Every structure is written in C-alpha cells, then in structure tokens.
Amino acid sequence: KGLTARLMRSEPLAYLGRISYGVYVLHQIVRYYGRTLVGPVHGLANAGFFVAYLAALIAIAALSFHWFEQPLLKLRTLADGNTQQPAST
C-alpha cells in the first residue's frame, strides 16, 4: 500500500471529510470576519493570517458539526422512524 493510500485512509483526513460541509458553508464568513478584525496584511503576515484562518475555520466547522449537524441528523433519523443512528465521530 502506497503513501497516498495510507494518507487517504488517515483519521485526520476522514474527520476533515466529515466536517467538510461546515468548512464549505462557513469559509467565506470566517474569512470576512478575519479580514475585518485584522485588516489588510501583506507578505509573511499574509501567510500567518492564512494559517490562523484555516485553524479558526476548522475549529468552527468542527463545533458546528458536533453541536448543530449531528443533533439534526439524529433528530431526522428519529423522525423517520429509522432505528439506525447516523455515523458518529
């Protein structure tokens, strides 16, 4: 098994896949407020902003996944009468 196959099966990437909807929905909001708070940045400061932006985005998307998406998925499952619970993390 190659490096790419092992990497694609890694838990961090699997978790990123689970929270990816939140990343998609929230990325522009987090970027907007980040730029509003920090202001214009150039050069290496821009790289630092990007790292902080990614960290904040992933953290907020993870919180959204655990506090918002999962409870709604469980509620939908119960409302449908399905006895199987959605995949948990």
Side-chain angles (χ1 to χ4, degrees), residues 15-86:
Y15 184 73
L16 189 59
R18 286 192 292 274
I19 67 168
S20 64
Y21 180 73
V23 170
Y24 166 72
V25 169
L26 297 167
H27 78 278
Q28 288 290 5
I29 296 167
V30 173
R31 184 178 175 274
Y32 172 79
Y33 283 107
R35 289 286 186 199
T36 300
L37 290 172
V38 174
V41 290
H42 304 285
L44 247 94
N46 198 35
F49 174 82
F50 182 71
V51 169
Y53 159 73
L54 280 181
L57 177 60
I58 290 170
I60 293 168
L63 290 173
S64 171
F65 177 76
H66 291 285
W67 292 350
F68 185 69
E69 292 177 52
Q70 275 194 327
L72 287 177
L73 289 172
K74 289 178 183 177
L75 185 63
R76 184 185 74 186
T77 301
L78 293 174
D80 290 345
N82 191 345
T83 58
Q84 291 182 339
Q85 292 293 320

